[in-house]
């Protein structure tokens, strides 16, 4: 019986090591996606500035809406990265990793969805910078409201 217990314990430990490794790989992939998203924000900002100079406010509004969707996606990525990091360090102490993940995911998403646009985007540094650059282009020297 103790040999069977020992084998099951080493099997569980091995699967935890494998899971920790996979979680680390996932965390790295999430970071890479986040880096691409940051590049996309910069490209959207440059395009919006060019369009603003041309007076194409309709297209600037489309970029603004797309940027908000990207910020929402970045929140989900950040939440995912946070959960993966936390779960990777707590594998041995959690009874049900899946339940913990789902519960934490739902709580994080509910908190985000409860925010108004000011809470979601007004506090986002990249979005504020985007809006500030657009404002400065057409309102030189005036403070942005």
């Amino acid at each position: 019986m103790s040999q069977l217990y020992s084998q099951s314990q080493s099997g569980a430990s091995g699967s935890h090591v494998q899971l920790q490794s996979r979680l680390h790989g996932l965390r790295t992939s999430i970071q890479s996606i986040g880096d691409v998203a940051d590049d996309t924000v910069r490209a959207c900002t440059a395009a919006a500035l060019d369009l603003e100079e041309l007076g194409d406010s309709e297209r600037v509004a489309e970029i603004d809406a797309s940027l908000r969707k990207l910020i929402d996606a970045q929140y989900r990525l950040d939440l995912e990265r946070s959960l993966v990091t936390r779960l990777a360090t707590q594998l041995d102490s959690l009874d049900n990793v899946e339940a913990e993940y789902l519960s934490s995911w739902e709580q994080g998403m509910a908190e985000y969805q409860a925010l108004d646009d000011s809470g979601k985007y007004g506090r986002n540094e990249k979005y504020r910078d985007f809006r500030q650059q657009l404002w400065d282009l057409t309102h030189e020297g005036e403070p942005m409201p």
Side-chain angles (χ1 to χ4, degrees), residues 71-135:
I71 289 166
D72 293 340
Q74 283 182 303
Y75 174 82
R76 291 189 301 273
L77 277 173
D78 289 342
L79 177 59
E80 200 76 64
R81 181 177 34 234
S82 171
L83 292 175
V84 165
T85 300
R86 184 168 55 87
L87 293 176
T89 61
Q90 296 177 344
L91 280 177
D92 293 330
S93 63
L94 294 173
D95 291 330
N96 189 335
V97 174
E98 181 180 6
E100 177 64 26
Y101 168 84
L102 291 174
S103 172
S104 296
W105 171 263
E106 289 170 3
Q107 178 183 353
M109 288 306 299
E111 290 170 4
Y112 185 71
Q113 295 302 325
L115 295 173
D116 60 9
D117 283 355
S118 175
K120 290 178 185 175
Y121 313 115
R123 294 181 188 160
N124 184 286
E125 181 181 336
K126 293 174 182 107
Y127 185 75
R128 282 194 328 261
D129 184 54
F130 167 79
R131 296 302 309 168
Q132 184 68 55
Q133 288 185 54
L134 285 173
W135 177 265

Side-chain angles (χ1 to χ4, degrees), residues 60-70 127:
V60 171
E62 289 173 9
I63 290 174
D64 185 280
S66 294
L67 194 55
R68 287 174 183 237
K69 288 178 185 177
L70 181 60
Y127 185 75

Side-chain angles (χ1 to χ4, degrees), residues 24-52:
H24 176 72
L26 180 57
R27 196 171 57 229
T28 301
S29 295
I30 291 169
Q31 180 61 48
S32 295
I33 295 167
D35 293 344
V36 170
D38 289 342
D39 291 343
T40 303
V41 169
R42 285 188 286 278
C44 285
T45 300
L49 290 170
D50 289 344
L51 291 166
E52 186 70 28

